[in-house]
Amino acid sequence: MINDKNSQKIVDFIQNWARKHSIWVLAYGTGCGAIEIPPTMTSRYDAERLGVRGAATPRQADVLLITGYLTTKTLKRVIRVYEQMQDPKYVIGFGSCTINGGMYYDSYNTIKVLDKYLPVDVYINGCMPRPEAVLSGFAKLQELIAQGKANGAQKYKDNLDWYRENQKKIIPNWVMPEYNW
Amino acid sequence: MDELKTKIIERIKANFQDATENNSFNYNRLDFNVNKTTVPSILFYLKDEMGFKHLSHITCVDWLEEGELELIFIVWSPVDKIKVFVRTRLDRENPVMDNIDMIWRQAHTYEREFREMFGIQFTGLEAPQDFLLEDWDGPPPMRRDFHTEEYASETFFERPGREDAGDVREEIIKRSGEEIPDFAKKYSR
Amino acid sequence: MDSIWFKLLGVVVSFIVAFTVGMTYMGLSRKITARVQNRKGPPFYQNFIDAMKLGSKTSAIHHGVMQHFGPAFLMVSSVMSLMIIPVLNNGMWFSNLNFHGDLIFLLYIMVFGPLGMALGAGQTGNPNSAIGVTRGLSQMVGFEIPWVMALVALMIQYHTTSIVDLMNIQVESGTWLIFSSPFAFIAAVLAMLGMFRYSPFDIVGAPTELASGPMSENGGKYLFTMMSSASVFAFAKLTLYVDLFLGGASNLIELLIKTFVIYMIPVLYGVVSPRYRTEQSIRYFWGWPTFFGLLAILYAVFF
């Protein structure tokens, strides 16, 4: 009775509805994109009316918002932050730099394709994406969560070896604690 | 301004025989070319005796064709409102320079950066090896014979994209079903 | 009617009421803050959604046994203080488990939760948590003094340490204690600003400065427990203020109106204030609130 398919479907629907309307964002200000977050959160575009709210620490956050280019040095920190977050967790890649390198395509220390290192659920393109684009990215993420398709964290767990191999290619001295997430 | 410049040139040349000046700038700038062994003493003299209290900048130029690296120290006098460039050349294969962070503390940061980005060794610089580049094992990346694009395409993944710069409006309309207004059509390629 | 089962049922019902009302009030405070900042703001039921989401998190990491106990201590302390505070003043419904001398017991039990939380935060090993705990305990030293002074003044003035007796005095005489001992009310309200930890006194869980302080390592279920215990505790405190100073309430509607009026004082004071530093906060509480507390005791002794 409890474990049959229909009741699980109802529970999933309610949980996904709650997750969809309460998105706590850890805005990891890696690059220039962090400057677009204050207008998104404050009175002009007011993301809080959609339930999007800033979280103080990775433990409390649901979404890791990677704003802009990632150098090899910050990639280490981003991976660590991502692994400290609690399931279910999502990643939003923000700006062209996370998609294909953007204007840093020939830089010697910025990575170009983020989804080889971390599972990205939604990309927001543009350089810079304006707050409208950021909100539309959140709307897309909400849509994916409601459908149950935003399962980047599961992908990361399943293909951990592949992700680790890619990460260790960039970070040769791997001195990271193992998290029992 | 001109008397001031000639006065500075006279004092510098009286004290440092190997300094050659370049007074061809018509604003408050004065250049000196010196040997690299003279650099600490001339910077000490400029700071302590002539009132050039402020180190504006240290920069480096890679003269690949001549096989030399040029270090440029820019100092500024807040009293006389004049800036002096002290230039020196280092051997490109084995660039070694004296540490000057006892004159200005902020030179420490510049020196760490030059050690990493140009491979210049500063004798007596006490600092951890890693500064901006962590786990770096390639050549110094700011030298001109370092091909950043080649290195980046070898090291990092690339996302394959289209090569041409053709019009993609039709494709976007087909995929998203979005209507483009008439006035916007003339801007599309 | 005096059966223990009836009282326990009342406790369960008052816990549910406290949870719902506290959560709604916190959501309303977010809405009011947003309107003051010229934003639309989240819906008033946003806190329920947040709580549901936190409860449905599939993983919650912990660093040891004490981290389990920290939020549990908070919850126990909140429920305990709710249990000895009578919600309505007609003595039949929701009168809860109060007894003679419960005002003194309440003084102790209200600091029990933060102390347990401090133990839990210490286990996480996060430096921000440790800083937050020290700040919280320092601030408690600040606001407990006017708060205790206000309550002692009431005890001296009416020769009782029972909340129900104080409520009965107000009902029989027809005047609220806010009029018959105004200085105690002022001291208690100023101490309440610190108790609710809205800005300018949010030095404990400052999100940008300390990464939310003692709760920085707590996610998922732990954060859910803290959130719900905070809302229950908020309701308990507001009900206590209404019981002590505003004559209690004879039905739930009256209670909601009176508690909301009291709740607006820290919220509206908070939305227009930046954050104090720790020593500024303590200096604030040892200034005018303590002065009014002394005045209340003198008033109680000599008049």
Side-chain angles (χ1 to χ4, degrees), chain C residues 42-270:
Chain C
F44 74 92
Y45 51 87
Q46 179 67 43
N47 268 27
F48 288 102
I49 305 176
D50 286 352
M52 264 170 74
K53 183 215 59 182
L54 287 173
S56 69
K57 280 267 188 189
T58 51
S59 71
I61 204 155
H62 67 92
H63 301 274
V65 181
M66 276 319 290
Q67 202 186 346
H68 286 295
F69 283 136
F73 274 154
L74 263 187
M75 196 73 195
V76 165
S77 152
S78 308
V79 175
M80 252 165 131
S81 14
L82 180 71
M83 263 163 42
I84 56 174
I85 295 171
V87 177
L88 297 181
N89 67 356
N90 48 14
M92 229 169 84
W93 302 97
F94 306 134
S95 68
N96 292 352
L97 304 172
N98 54 71
F99 49 89
H100 287 285
D102 52 3
L103 212 48
I104 295 172
F105 183 62
L106 197 70
L107 278 177
Y108 280 99
I109 216 67
M110 277 172 85
V111 298
F112 174 68
L115 286 176
M117 191 56 230
L119 288 175
Q123 174 98 62
T124 62
N126 193 319
N128 285 327
S129 303
I131 298 172
V133 164
T134 47
R135 284 183 175 199
L137 296 183
S138 327
Q139 198 190 29
M140 201 183 281
V141 170
F143 70 73
E144 280 288 313
I145 287 177
W147 169 236
V148 172
M149 277 176 165
L151 290 194
V152 165
L154 290 186
M155 291 174 203
I156 295 172
Q157 198 167 356
Y158 298 99
H159 301 285
T160 175
T161 54
S162 163
I163 303 172
V164 177
D165 283 355
L166 284 171
M167 286 166 80
N168 288 337
I169 287 166
Q170 298 180 61
V171 171
E172 280 159 18
S173 66
T175 44
W176 295 350
L177 256 60
I178 182 174
F179 299 119
S180 50
S181 53
F183 298 118
F185 176 72
I186 293 172
V189 157
L190 291 179
M192 179 179 71
L193 297 177
M195 244 182 263
F196 269 98
R197 288 183 186 151
Y198 288 124
S199 66
F201 302 105
D202 57 345
I203 56 172
V204 180
T208 46
E209 189 183 341
L210 275 189
S212 76
M215 22 192 198
S216 58
E217 281 290 316
N218 296 291
K221 285 170 258 175
Y222 302 111
L223 203 58
F224 168 70
T225 316
M226 282 180 205
M227 235 174 109
S228 29
S229 91
S231 46
V232 170
F233 199 38
F235 181 79
K237 279 182 288 192
L238 291 171
T239 313
L240 180 67
Y241 275 91
V242 171
D243 285 351
L244 289 183
F245 295 106
L246 295 184
S250 53
N251 54 40
L252 276 178
I253 307 292
E254 194 187 342
L255 182 78
L256 289 185
I257 293 169
K258 281 178 176 174
T259 48
F260 192 72
V261 169
I262 294 275
Y263 186 58
M264 279 302 101
I265 296 171
V267 169
L268 292 181
Y269 189 62

Side-chain angles (χ1 to χ4, degrees), chain B residues 1 9 26 61 65 80 89 93-94 105 109 121 125 145 155 170 174 184 186:
Chain B
M1 186 57 76
I9 291 168
N26 56 0
V61 182
E65 293 79 6
D80 297 334
R89 295 274 180 137
E93 297 306 314
N94 184 24
R105 287 282 300 279
T109 313
Q121 294 302 319
L125 176 64
D145 53 358
T155 315
E170 298 301 320
K174 219 190 291 173
K186 68 180 177 193

Side-chain angles (χ1 to χ4, degrees), chain B residues 77-101:
Chain B
S77 165
V79 179
D80 297 334
K81 304 275 186 281
I82 188 165
K83 59 180 174 252
V84 167
F85 286 46
V86 179
R87 298 161 173 271
T88 185
R89 295 274 180 137
L90 309 174
D91 181 25
R92 199 167 178 282
E93 297 306 314
N94 184 24
V96 181
M97 176 68 201
D98 287 332
N99 178 23
I100 62 147
D101 70 352

